[in-house]
Amino acid sequence: MRVPLSWLREYVDVPADATTDDVFAALVSVGFEEEETVGFEVSGPVVVGQVLSFEAEPQSNGKTIRWCQVDVGPSTSSGTGRDVRGIVCGASNFLVGDKVVVSLPGAVLPGPFPISARKTYGHVSDGMIASAKELGLGDEHNGILRLTELGLDPEVGADAIALLGLDDVAVDVNVTPDRGYALSLRGIAREYAHATGAAFRDPAAHEWADVQPGSGFPITVDDAAPIRGRVGASEFVARVVRGVDPSRPTPPWMIARLTLAGIRSLGILIDITNYVMLELGNPIHGYDLDKLTGGITVRRAAEGEKLVTLDGKERTLSAEDLLITDESGPIGLAGVMGGGTTEMSDTTRDVLIEAANFDPVTIARSARRHKLPSEASRRFERGVDPLIPFVAARRVADLMVSLAGGTLDTELGGALYGEVFLPSILLPRAFVPALIGVDYTDAEITGALEMIGCEVTPVEEADAGWDVIPPSWRPDLTDKWTLAEEVARIHGLDRIPSILPTPPSGRGLTSLQKGRRRVANALAAAGFVETPSFPFATADANDLHGSASGEHAPAVKLANPLDGQAPYLRRSLVPGLVQVAHRNLSRGFTDLALYETGLVFTPEAGVDYGTAEVPPLAQRPTDETLAELNAAIPPQPRHVAVLLTGNLQAKQPAHPAVPVELADALAAVEVIGAAAGVRIDVAQGQRAALHPGRTGILSVAGVEVGYVGELLPAVAADADLPGRVYVAELDLDGILSLAGAPDAAASLSGFPAATQDVSLVVGVDVVAADVRAALVEGAGDLLESLRLVDDYRGQGVAEGTKSLTFALRFRAPDRTLTAAEATEAKLAGVAVAAERYGATIRE
């Protein structure tokens, strides 16, 4: 909200020497956020001049300029006579005798655009005759600014900056959605008074009889389908002003204030409605009374109904939209934008003024549905003071009478009166000090609430507290917590002590959160770089990486995706890592070790994840609604994935480069398993996106948790990734849930180990991990470790078989093992492998 200081001073006593920083400081102290200072950026000398004569001079480029003689006031050099300047001007919309705005050498106009005497078109132009756009007063650039068109006849040589209000400045503060009352000079002035104690003059302070409209103009509200049971229009006021002159100029002070507030001047009638909206916070709309047919009806639109709004666009309406209609049909989208058929124009003579109070939810939905945000919808969707429409309509009427030459019709008018019920809130006496942590006195609490406009009544029961009725312009004050916040705000947030509460014992991260952090930290310590990516993917990427077979997999499609080519939520982290690798390779980073932890979305086929209804705002959903919402959420497990490509070690003197291999991806899997506290087994398998001979399926205690392998060369090539690319992806939440209680550190035996090897011949289809598990089970407690050291297929081994060599290490905690004991344990394991998989000891 931009607030011109000259306007602010009309409603609150701002010291004459107060700077914008002083005003900002006061408003920040009561909870507003400082944005910027806004001004016209004009510095003098800029004076009123009078055109004495001019000569039209055609130029070779086809343009005609005027060589003007302009009186800019008394001569400063001689003290007598007039100061006449020769000025070149390209405009042709002025006459001899016109009073204009002249920027003399040394002046600076917005841009910045410094003015100096310079030679142009064969003359030395000693200044510039300015247009409204060049002065920052609007976007129109049809010619120079003629002061007579503004209704001004100032003395030649007078300061044009003060005359046009160009010396004014505005402060811009951010208004949060819950404080819609502050989108007005009335609201900001009241808050400045709260901060400084300055006297506040309410521009809405009128006698009720003075703001009552006449009767006879029919107004009907026919809302057959109110949203959440709230009728679309709770109040509607219509007043009539006759005989206006739309050609009258808008006063310079009003143009300057509107401009500083960020609103363009559009003619006296529209300027007045915008001015009152900024002043009181109630949007106003004016209709050409002669273009209306019959009375006004406020109703919901029919689905598919059409309306041409003031911007000239035809809009297809929804049944939720609220319309202003007459007997001819829709004439406006209520609270958002008026229609083109009844707009005020240069031919308007009689004006119907509309001031209303519309349902915030209805207006907010319409503005977003039609992508039509406006100053009016911005205020209505935050809530307008229900007691202000009558005052606002009368204020517009008075300004049209005084500035546009109209006459107020006290007989014709109409109003829809709404009941304004403000429920009281019980505020316990000790609640505010206990919540805020400051020992406020009773007088401080009640004084702060009364200052913001609340009615405070003590409860009869001893020490019970107060009944508080919030003011009509504060719909955000709904409970004792919001009242406590107001007390803290008014008395200064700096009074709240900066003391952190002592957390209760036994709290902290959950075991799952700790596990996630251990895994992430371990991968970072192992040399991997974390690269979070957007959780969006294409359908092809989801099918390829989100399922083992590469067939179509169900995915969640977004209604409003950031990227139309990737409208689905990801089923795998690998596509995101591939994109990151591609981006880095395109920038010259060829050796990559990347990882990411994040959610994937794995909806089940045939399950409907839609919801029957959108729960309303401002009220807690029922347990049934929450259950329905939870049922509509697809499974979202947290995964961890790694990607390696390029060299593990760069080329060095006397050492060649060491490219990454599948073993390095397996090492990353071991890092994840160690950090998670689980043993991850690897078995050869198949994945659609991975090389068929270099793919491993990962499992923990027999439960599949992920995969590791090399990307198919074709898949890597499609992503413009040269060389070999290795990836691994695991269900992080799954492996952490399988970890169980942390293992206690075992005692180290001081006795020597007995090591033996064994080579077993099995079928080529037998998984080495299964053979290893059989050996471990049969060898018993004496087996300390077992590793696969060789997988041989070739001469000396029968066709269709392979030889798996394992290195075994045995140790007893209480004695030195004999070779016979180690051999016996080894053969026990071989027996289990022989029984399950037909394994034989290779001769």
Side-chain angles (χ1 to χ4, degrees):
M1 177 66 188
R2 293 182 176 181
V3 184
L5 293 193
S6 66
W7 202 353
L8 182 66
R9 287 188 170 97
E10 290 189 6
Y11 310 127
V12 67
D13 292 339
V14 179
D17 59 350
T19 65
T20 55
D21 288 340
D22 297 331
V23 177
F24 271 134
L27 295 176
V28 167
S29 71
V30 287
F32 290 93
E33 181 180 345
E34 174 183 341
E35 292 286 345
E36 61 180 345
T37 298
V38 181
F40 287 102
E41 300 178 357
V42 177
S43 61
V46 180
V47 300
V48 174
Q50 187 170 32
V51 179
L52 301 178
S53 65
F54 61 80
E55 297 178 9
E57 298 181 355
Q59 304 297 312
S60 59
N61 59 5
K63 182 178 180 180
T64 299
I65 61 99
R66 287 180 173 183
W67 171 239
C68 308
Q69 300 301 311
V70 184
D71 180 0
V72 295
S75 175
T76 57
S77 58
S78 63
T80 61
R82 308 297 294 179
D83 186 359
V84 178
R85 304 290 181 105
I87 298 176
V88 173
C89 183
S92 60
N93 67 319
F94 59 94
L95 304 173
V96 171
D98 277 347
K99 291 184 178 180
V100 294
V101 177
V102 179
S103 302
L104 298 177
V108 179
L109 300 186
F113 180 42
I115 304 300
S116 61
R118 63 189 183 93
K119 186 173 183 179
T120 179
Y121 294 108
H123 302 281
V124 175
S125 184
D126 197 13
M128 186 181 77
I129 305 175
S131 69
K133 183 175 181 179
E134 289 164 339
L135 294 170
L137 283 173
D139 297 329
E140 298 296 330
H141 197 53
N142 297 326
I144 66 165
L145 181 64
R146 301 172 64 210
L147 295 179
T148 184
E149 293 180 346
L150 298 180
L152 299 176
D153 187 20
E155 181 181 350
V156 175
D159 183 5
I161 293 179
L163 175 71
L164 299 176
L166 300 178
D167 54 350
D168 201 359
V169 67
V171 293
D172 190 4
V173 293
N174 182 29
V175 177
T176 54
D178 61 330
R179 300 174 73 179
Y181 69 94
L183 290 173
S184 67
L185 267 295
R186 180 194 186 206
I188 295 295
R190 180 182 282 110
E191 290 296 331
Y192 182 85
H194 295 166
T196 62
F200 169 66
R201 297 172 290 279
D202 190 352
H206 288 269
E207 294 294 332
W208 182 243
D210 294 339
V211 297
Q212 290 302 297
S215 60
F217 189 87
I219 298 173
T220 305
V221 174
D222 181 16
D223 190 356
I227 297 177
R228 302 180 191 169
R230 298 183 59 174
V231 176
S234 57
E235 286 185 331
F236 197 102
V237 183
R239 303 202 73 133
V240 174
V241 178
R242 298 188 181 277
V244 297
D245 181 4
S247 65
R248 284 200 178 187
T250 302
W253 56 267
M254 182 176 284
I255 294 177
R257 289 179 177 181
L258 290 174
T259 302
L260 284 177
I263 293 182
R264 184 163 54 100
S265 175
L266 296 172
I268 184 62
L269 301 181
I270 298 176
D271 288 350
I272 288 173
T273 60
N274 286 334
Y275 186 84
V276 174
M277 175 186 68
L278 294 174
E279 182 179 66
L280 299 178
N282 196 135
I284 307 290
H285 188 70
Y287 302 90
D288 188 326
L289 184 61
D290 294 332
K291 297 178 182 179
L292 285 172
T293 306
I296 284 180
T297 299
V298 183
R299 62 170 174 83
R300 299 285 170 178
E303 190 68 37
E305 195 170 1
K306 306 292 185 179
L307 170 68
V308 178
T309 47
L310 284 173
D311 56 2
K313 295 182 180 180
E314 183 179 75
R315 303 187 183 274
T316 302
L317 304 174
S318 163
E320 280 193 351
D321 290 329
L322 192 67
L323 295 180
I324 308 298
T325 68
D326 64 3
E327 293 179 2
S328 67
I331 59 174
L333 188 58
V336 180
M337 184 174 285
T341 59
T342 58
E343 68 175 315
M344 297 182 294
S345 65
D346 293 342
T347 61
T348 298
R349 293 298 174 263
D350 298 334
V351 176
L352 179 77
I353 301 165
E354 167 210 306
N357 190 8
F358 297 118
D359 173 44
V361 174
T362 295
I363 304 307
R365 289 188 179 182
S366 290
R368 285 158 179 75
R369 181 181 300 112
H370 298 286
K371 298 179 181 178
L372 193 60
S374 64
E375 290 291 336
S377 66
R378 185 184 177 204
R379 286 162 174 80
F380 278 126
E381 67 188 23
R382 286 163 170 78
V384 169
D385 184 354
L387 301 181
I388 206 68
F390 291 86
V391 177
R394 179 58 189 261
R395 173 65 166 155
V396 171
D398 290 343
L399 287 175
M400 286 188 177
V401 169
S402 62
L403 301 180
T407 302
L408 177 61
D409 189 333
T410 58
E411 300 298 327
L412 183 62
L416 167 71
Y417 296 87
E419 180 182 1
V420 180
F421 175 70
L422 303 172
S424 64
I425 302 169
L426 176 61
L427 181 63
R429 185 178 300 275
F431 178 76
V432 176
L435 180 67
I436 305 300
V438 177
D439 292 330
Y440 298 111
T441 65
D442 290 355
E444 286 179 318
I445 295 172
T446 58
L449 296 177
E450 289 172 347
M451 178 183 289
I452 65 173
C454 295
E455 294 182 17
V456 183
T457 305
V459 178
E460 294 182 358
E461 300 178 12
D463 296 330
W466 305 273
D467 274 328
V468 181
I469 300 178
S472 59
W473 58 86
R474 294 297 302 271
D476 57 309
L477 301 182
T478 56
D479 49 42
K480 59 184 178 181
W481 288 276
T482 53
L483 294 178
E485 181 183 356
E486 288 299 295
V487 174
R489 184 175 70 88
I490 294 301
H491 287 298
L493 301 179
D494 56 332
R495 288 186 59 180
I496 302 176
S498 56
I499 301 173
L500 294 177
T502 302
S505 60
R507 302 292 178 88
L509 299 177
T510 65
S511 59
L512 196 62
Q513 291 170 328
K514 292 178 181 177
R516 293 170 183 168
R517 292 194 178 189
R518 285 199 308 273
V519 170
N521 291 338
L523 286 172
F528 288 81
V529 177
E530 185 175 13
T531 56
S533 58
F534 287 118
F536 311 123
T538 64
D540 291 341
N542 267 343
D543 293 343
L544 181 62
H545 297 280
S547 64
S549 63
E551 298 177 353
H552 175 68
V556 177
K557 187 174 183 179
L558 299 172
N560 55 342
L562 292 177
D563 182 356
Q565 296 180 343
Y568 294 93
L569 291 176
R570 65 189 178 190
R571 290 182 59 93
S572 168
L573 300 180
V574 171
L577 290 176
V578 169
Q579 289 181 2
V580 172
H582 168 76
R583 190 178 304 115
N584 279 272
L585 283 168
S586 69
R587 287 158 175 76
F589 299 100
T590 57
D591 303 330
L592 301 173
L594 312 175
Y595 84 95
E596 180 179 0
T597 62
L599 297 178
V600 298
F601 306 84
T602 57
E604 301 173 7
V607 178
D608 182 13
Y609 292 102
T611 55
E613 63 174 302
V614 177
L617 300 176
Q619 66 183 58
R620 177 179 173 80
T622 64
D623 292 340
E624 292 76 11
T625 302
L626 290 174
E628 182 182 355
L629 291 172
N630 288 329
I633 299 175
Q636 301 178 32
R638 186 177 297 273
H639 281 200
V640 57
V642 299
L643 181 146
L644 300 101
T645 188
N647 293 323
L648 186 67
Q649 179 178 307
K651 183 180 179 180
Q652 303 177 44
H655 293 281
V658 179
V660 295
E661 298 179 350
L662 182 59
D664 300 311
L666 289 169
V669 171
E670 292 180 357
V671 168
I672 293 171
V678 297
R679 176 182 176 82
I680 301 177
D681 296 318
V682 185
Q684 190 170 7
Q686 299 288 331
R687 295 279 301 188
L690 302 184
H691 195 292
R694 300 169 188 163
T695 302
I697 303 302
L698 309 176
S699 61
V700 174
V703 178
E704 184 175 330
V705 295
Y707 60 88
V708 62
E710 179 187 338
L711 281 183
L712 277 172
V715 174
D718 286 343
D720 296 324
L721 300 180
R724 295 185 172 182
V725 181
Y726 299 95
V727 296
E729 183 169 12
L730 299 91
D731 182 350
L732 181 55
D733 287 345
I735 63 176
L736 291 174
S737 65
L738 294 169
D743 294 332
S747 300
L748 296 177
S749 173
F751 295 94
T755 59
Q756 296 199 10
D757 292 343
V758 62
S759 296
L760 300 179
V761 178
V762 295
V764 292
D765 295 332
V766 177
V767 178
D770 294 337
V771 179
R772 181 188 180 282
L775 288 173
V776 171
E777 182 180 338
D781 296 337
L782 294 179
L783 181 64
E784 185 177 77
S785 70
L786 184 150
R787 293 183 298 108
L788 175 67
V789 296
D790 188 36
D791 181 340
Y792 175 74
R793 311 174 194 197
Q795 186 177 358
V797 177
E799 185 73 21
T801 63
K802 60 184 177 182
S803 173
L804 302 177
T805 301
F806 295 92
L808 300 87
R809 185 171 65 205
F810 300 93
R811 195 191 307 265
D814 55 352
R815 67 188 187 282
T816 299
L817 287 179
T818 64
E821 288 178 306
T823 300
E824 181 181 357
K826 178 185 71 174
L827 294 177
V830 171
V832 175
E835 178 183 355
R836 294 181 181 175
Y837 307 109
T840 59
I841 297 178
R842 181 182 175 189
E843 298 297 336

